[in-house]
Structure formats: structure tokens, C-alpha cells
Amino acid sequence: MARESSFNKKSRAVLLVVLGLFSIGQLFPLVWLIDFSLCKSGDVYGANILKIPNPPQFINYYLAWRDGKIPQYFINSVIVNVTSVLLVVLFSLMMGYAFVRMEWKWSNKVLTYVLLGLMIPIHATLLPNFVIFRQLKMLDSYFALIIPYVAFSLPQAVFLMTGFIGSIPRALEESAIIDGCGIFRILFQIILPLSKPALVTITVTTFLNTWNEFIMAATYLTSDKFRTLPFSVYNFAGQYASNYAVQFAVMTIVALPSLIVYIALNEQVTKGVTLGAVKG
Amino acid sequence: MYKVLSDKRTILLLVLPGLLIYTFAILFPIILSVYLGMTDWSGIGRPNFVGLENFKKIIFSDTTFWKSLRNAIFLALAYVFVQHPIALTFAILIDKIGGRAEKIFRTIFFIPCVIPVVVTSRMWVSLYDPQYGLINKILDFLHLGFLKQQWLGDTKTALISVIIICMWQGFGWALLIYYAGLKGIPEELYEAAMIDGATGVKLYTKITVPLLQPVIKVNFTIAIIYALKQMETVYLTTNGGPGDASQFLANYLYIRAFNSYQYGYANAISVLFVIACLAVNILFQKIFKPENYEF
């Protein structure tokens, strides 16, 4: 690496310290949150910036788990997200193939129409969708979230898929067609396995976006039954208004799944973010 | 072969499900919004058609609307002139450090971006709290106690406090995009420049920044659209207040619809909001047409 050769050990150490300090600064709010989630509620009023929890108050996490309805909301989140992600992956694969490989007159126009969605802010659909869902008696159901989540993830996913499928050599499909393979077999037995990198990226970015989504969930769900994980935090602000430690515990729990997914799959997240942005 | 790839029924089968769901949840609602924006509907009962009345009122006499737009511009400026220079600097530093540290720092800086906005927003409400918040405690610790504020509750500081949250949250995004841009610059250019005697900062101002221009433009566009679309953080921290000090468009239309039951009026704001977003997008695509750099 040429960039490193000009670079001695001492300045590398300085650089490490600078980056280290700044990243501690950037993460400090989270450290503070986790720290006080293990303390007694009143401790947060003390003068200390951080405090060693002595002994750690794991009961906060128990209360957060129980009163935050974490299990119920978590299951709702899983149902909504798994369905949304599967549909986005399936539809973007199908649409990507139809736009790139199939031959039809409207292909480009329809693709442009779908990519228009990249420019439309979700918030502009909140009000009309609320009215539509209410009219169709769809408010307060998993569909009220799955449908908009899929719709809003599709433009980005289709964008990534068309780019990726375009880069797959045609030779395999050609011989498959000559052998009498139908489109669906080509799609699921040839294109699908080859598109794995793109599909993983789509899966991870869609998952993170929809898992963390709150405003649509807050608008389209009116009863408690279908609420997703972010509501644990939201409800707590009122219910446990003065018990900060338990509030902080519930925030930590809710942040954890996304954090785990991100750390496990951070290569794919990075790819998803940068592909979408730099080429868009 | 052509026959297989141009079979109309198959094409329909492949495109239709996605197309329907997209049209149903995005395009159709926007069209409905245009109609509702021309009514005085309260959300229940029958809508009453009033034509362009709402739009006139918003544009000519709604101070909160303009304030929301102004706040979005402040946020955009903060992104571009404060967040981005820092993000670019750190992207260069991370790229430079190499090895395992490179990956670790890249991961760390993006963490705030993957945490649910409900968590980060509530967390910042706590950080800003006048009684127990970290910010005031740090000011005390630094003997700057006189700077202590009711950060989110004061008209003077609410907007800047919200902007700080947004910059903190989005920092990893900006950094990662610059970082990806840096990775696209071929090594040989640096090698050649170093053979020619270029060193240190000069290497970056003469090679990195000019070659990064397309990425910088994309990143600016994203930042400005982000600023315009800001809602969740505001909704969960100040809800636009106190008064309309930290109001943003999306949050404002939400309040009009659900708190004051001016559904028609809110939809008119929504339509103007979409137009603003589209205009910025198209404008920036025109100005910042990505030039193709030949390496």
C-alpha cells in the first residue's frame, strides 16, 4: 500500500489516538445511556458524568422487558419485517429481471416510474394513506405496515437489482433457454443464486430501515395489538416518566437487535449504503 | 429465445405485484393528497371543495410554513458546512490508517445511524435535560456552568439543539459515502504524485478533493434532501416547539392534520412538500450532473 509507506509508526499512533478520541466522543451518549440503565434511577441526578453501578441494577432490565411488552412488540416487529423483506427481495428480483432482460416496449418507462419513488418523501403519503387505510378497514393490522414498507423499499431495491442483473453475463441464460428452460426456472435457479450479493445487501438495508421505522407505525396503528418494538420506548416515556434507569434500559434493549445485525453484517450494510448513494 | 424473453404474460406476472403495491401505497396517495389539498376537510364527514384556497393561504400568510422551510435550510447548511468537512476529514484519516483499525473505525462511526430513531431521540431528550442531562453536567465539569440551558425547551436554543442531534445521527452516513468515494480513487495517482514530490496535505488538496468532486456533489444533494425531509427526530424531541421554533415541514403537516384536524390544509402542505423535494432533486441533478472522470 503506497499510502502507508509514506507513513511512519509515530504518526500512525497519533492518528489512532485522534480517531479513537473522536469515536469515543461520537459514542459517548450511548455509553452514558447504558451506564445509567444499570444504576438506581436517582443516580442520574448526581454530579458524576459516569458512575460505576454498584451493584448493577439488572432489575431495570427485567422491568423494561416486562412492562415494555418487549416480547409482544418484538414478535410483531419480526412478523412485519420478515414479510416485508421477503416481499421486497422477491419483487425486486422479478422486476429487475423483467426490466433488464425481458423485451417489452414499456420497460424503460415503467422503470423510470418506479425509480421516481426514490425522490418521494414517505411523510407526504402519511395523511392520504391514513385515509385510504381507514376506508379499507386496514388500519391496525400488519398490512397497514407491510404494504407501505414494501412500497417504499422497492425503488431502491429495484435500482440495485437492475444494476446487478445487468452485470451478469447472458451466456448461462441463453443456453438454459435453448435447453427449454422457462423464465421462472431461469429466474430462481440461475439468476437468484448469482444475485446473492445484491440480495443480501437489499435484505440488510431493507431490514434496518423497516425495523427502525416509527412514524408510519405510530400513524397507522391505533391499538396496542400490532405495535412494533420502537413503541416500547415511546410508551415508556409516559409510563415511567420519572424512572430514568428503567427508561434507559428499555432503550438499550430496543437498540440491541439493530446493533447486532449491523455488527454481524456490517460489510453488507456498508455496501448497501455506498452503492445506493454513490451511483444514485 | 426472443419468444421466451418477450412473452407478455410472463412480463406482467413479474412486474405487476411490485408495481401494484408501489402504485397503491405511493403514487395513488400522492394524487389523493392533491385532491384533498383542495378541500377544507377535517378528517371526518364530507370534504368541501375550495380550490386553491389552502395553497394561497399557505404561501401568502402561513408564517409557520416558511419558518419550517427556513429551519430546513439551516439544517442543510449545518450539514454541508459543519458536518461534511468533519466527515470528509475523518473519512480520509480512516482510509489512511489502514488495516484492522480502518474497518473498526468505519464500523464505529456508523453505529448511531443504525440505532432506531426512537432510541436516539429519547436519548438526546435525556442528554439535554436541564436537571440531569449530560450536556449541562459536562458544562459544569468544564467550569462553563453559565452556559447551561433548557436546551430543547427554550426558543433560542431549540433549533440548534435539534440540528446537533441530526448532525450527530447522520455523521456516519456522510462519512461512509466519502469513504466509498476515496476507495474509488486509484492508488497509482498517489504514487505518481509522490514520485513528483507531492506530500502530506498537498496530496489531498490536489488529488483527493478534486477527484472526489462527484461524490461530494452526491453527498450534498443527499444532505439537502435529508434536511428537507426531517421529521422523526423533531417529532420525538420538540415536536416543533416551543412555538414553532424548531418546526419542520413534515412534522408541521402532521400536526395540522392530527392535532388541529385541518386535514385538507395539511394535505395542501404535503403537496407543496413533495413539490419542494422533487424540485431540489431535479435541480441538483441538473447542476450536479455527474461528470465522468477518466482515470
Side-chain angles (χ1 to χ4, degrees):
Chain A
M1 289 281 279
R3 260 174 261 190
E4 275 168 80
S5 62
S6 67
F7 204 56
N8 59 35
K9 273 211 170 102
K10 214 165 118 197
S11 49
R12 194 182 143 88
V14 173
L15 199 54
L16 266 175
V17 171
V18 171
L19 283 170
L21 284 177
F22 198 81
S23 54
I24 291 172
Q26 177 78 353
L27 291 190
F28 198 77
L30 294 163
V31 174
W32 182 79
L33 182 82
I34 296 167
D35 180 30
F36 281 99
S37 74
L38 287 165
C39 291
K40 293 199 184 77
S41 184
D43 287 349
V44 76
Y45 286 101
N48 301 344
I49 285 176
L50 288 178
K51 190 177 162 68
I52 297 168
N54 185 27
Q57 306 288 313
F58 292 110
I59 181 123
N60 295 336
Y61 279 82
Y62 169 71
L63 289 174
W65 182 267
R66 190 192 64 191
D67 297 341
K69 301 185 190 163
I70 302 272
Q72 183 202 332
Y73 291 168
F74 183 83
I75 288 170
N76 285 338
S77 272
V78 169
I79 292 171
V80 168
N81 279 280
V82 170
T83 317
S84 305
V85 167
L86 285 177
L87 289 176
V88 170
V89 165
L90 181 69
F91 291 165
S92 63
L93 179 73
M94 288 166 28
M95 291 168 95
Y97 191 79
F99 288 129
V100 176
R101 289 290 210 258
M102 308 281 287
E103 289 159 36
W104 45 302
K105 219 170 57 192
W106 293 84
S107 177
N108 263 327
K109 288 197 178 88
V110 179
L111 177 62
T112 311
Y113 168 74
V114 174
L115 294 185
L116 194 68
L118 289 169
M119 297 195 219
I120 294 173
I122 22 168
H123 314 100
T125 61
L126 280 171
L127 304 183
N129 266 342
F130 178 78
V131 175
I132 295 168
F133 292 169
R134 189 174 62 183
Q135 209 64 32
L136 297 174
K137 306 246 182 297
M138 256 174 55
L139 285 181
D140 239 353
S141 72
Y142 292 128
F143 291 112
L145 293 185
I146 292 169
I147 289 173
Y149 285 178
V150 172
F152 271 101
S153 310
L154 266 181
Q156 171 85 7
V158 168
F159 176 76
L160 286 174
M161 266 332 271
T162 47
F164 195 86
I165 292 176
S167 71
I168 297 176
R170 282 172 189 262
L172 277 174
E173 296 159 67
E174 276 164 14
S175 53
I177 291 178
I178 291 164
D179 289 346
C181 234
I183 289 293
F184 286 92
R185 267 189 70 188
I186 292 175
L187 196 56
F188 291 106
Q189 289 185 348
I190 298 175
I191 300 293
L192 178 76
L194 286 175
S195 311
K196 225 172 110 191
L199 293 176
V200 172
T201 299
I202 290 170
T203 304
V204 179
T205 43
T206 307
F207 172 82
L208 283 177
N209 282 338
T210 54
W211 184 270
N212 295 346
E213 204 284 329
F214 176 69
I215 207 78
M216 287 197 251
T219 312
Y220 305 146
L221 303 179
T222 46
S223 74
D224 204 42
K225 212 171 138 199
F226 298 99
R227 285 189 172 157
T228 47
L229 207 50
F231 277 94
S232 297
V233 177
Y234 193 65
N235 293 348
F236 250 58
Q239 194 187 348
Y240 271 79
S242 56
N243 194 339
Y244 297 104
V246 182
Q247 268 197 54
F248 292 178
V250 87
M251 289 190 233
T252 309
I253 297 175
V254 171
L256 223 50
S258 335
L259 204 61
I260 292 169
V261 168
Y262 168 60
I263 289 173
L265 298 166
N266 98 69
E267 237 23 82
Q268 276 75 22
V269 179
T270 309
K271 233 182 267 162
V273 169
T274 50
L275 266 181
V278 176
K279 290 196 179 161
Chain B
M1 173 114 171
Y2 175 77
K3 221 171 156 186
V4 185
L5 287 177
S6 61
D7 179 42
K8 293 279 168 328
R9 277 221 340 248
T10 319
I11 292 170
L12 209 63
L13 226 66
L14 290 177
V15 176
L16 210 58
L19 207 59
L20 281 179
I21 210 165
Y22 168 79
T23 306
F24 173 77
I26 300 185
L27 256 296
F28 178 63
I30 301 272
I31 294 165
L32 181 68
S33 200
V34 174
Y35 164 71
L36 289 176
M38 292 193 260
T39 68
D40 65 358
W41 201 35
S42 67
I44 27 174
R46 296 194 127 254
N48 200 1
F49 193 80
V50 294
L52 295 177
E53 206 52 46
N54 290 329
F55 293 94
K56 268 189 226 152
K57 225 188 284 175
I58 294 164
I59 290 170
F60 295 110
S61 55
D62 191 334
T63 50
T64 308
F65 174 81
W66 290 107
K67 181 112 181 216
S68 306
L69 209 55
R70 208 196 63 184
N71 289 346
I73 293 169
F74 276 149
L75 179 58
L77 293 175
Y79 279 147
V80 168
F81 290 105
V82 183
Q83 189 196 49
H84 281 227
I86 305 175
L88 178 56
T89 310
F90 276 86
I92 291 173
L93 294 181
I94 290 176
D95 180 47
K96 208 171 156 128
I97 201 153
R100 270 174 67 91
E102 177 170 340
K103 215 180 135 185
I104 292 170
F105 283 121
R106 199 188 65 197
T107 308
I108 289 177
F109 282 116
F110 200 68
I111 284 178
C113 305
V114 297
I115 293 187
V117 65
V118 176
V119 174
T120 51
S121 302
R122 300 304 312 179
M123 180 182 84
W124 275 92
V125 169
S126 297
L127 292 169
Y128 279 131
D129 190 278
Q131 268 112 48
Y132 67 85
L134 178 68
I135 308 291
N136 280 350
K137 268 191 225 168
I138 287 178
L139 290 174
D140 261 340
F141 182 75
L142 298 172
H143 299 286
L144 293 169
F146 61 93
L147 286 174
K148 287 191 340 193
Q149 297 283 339
Q150 292 240 10
W151 297 100
L152 292 168
D154 191 318
T155 342
K156 286 198 300 286
T157 52
L159 179 63
I160 185 75
S161 304
V162 170
I163 287 177
I164 288 171
I165 307 177
C166 296
M167 287 203 291
W168 174 82
Q169 251 169 0
F171 183 76
W173 266 91
L175 182 137
L176 201 55
I177 291 166
Y178 285 132
Y179 172 85
L182 288 170
K183 288 287 167 209
I185 300 176
E187 286 295 326
E188 301 90 66
L189 284 174
Y190 290 98
E191 282 164 29
M194 277 190 292
I195 290 167
D196 291 344
T199 48
V201 177
K202 205 162 185 186
L203 224 45
Y204 285 95
T205 50
K206 295 283 188 231
I207 298 182
T208 312
V209 174
L211 281 176
L212 218 52
Q213 249 181 49
V215 178
I216 295 176
K217 287 168 180 174
V218 169
N219 219 353
F220 275 17
T221 314
I222 295 175
I224 287 159
I225 288 162
Y226 252 61
L228 209 56
K229 287 206 280 198
Q230 172 48 244
M231 163 156 195
E232 280 84 352
T233 309
V234 181
Y235 177 82
L236 290 158
T237 52
T238 61
N239 201 17
D244 53 11
S246 61
Q247 195 57 277
F248 283 79
L249 277 184
N251 194 61
Y252 178 48
L253 69 91
Y254 201 81
I255 289 179
R256 281 281 180 160
F258 292 108
N259 297 4
S260 24
Y261 301 101
Q262 289 173 295
Y263 228 82
Y265 192 81
N267 273 286
I269 300 174
S270 188
V271 171
L272 291 173
F273 175 50
V274 177
I275 292 172
C277 286
L278 289 177
V280 168
N281 261 302
I282 292 163
L283 192 75
F284 275 70
Q285 271 177 17
K286 283 254 153 62
I287 309 177
F288 287 166
K289 216 172 190 137
E291 301 132 60
N292 287 318
Y293 275 80
E294 292 285 331
F295 290 127

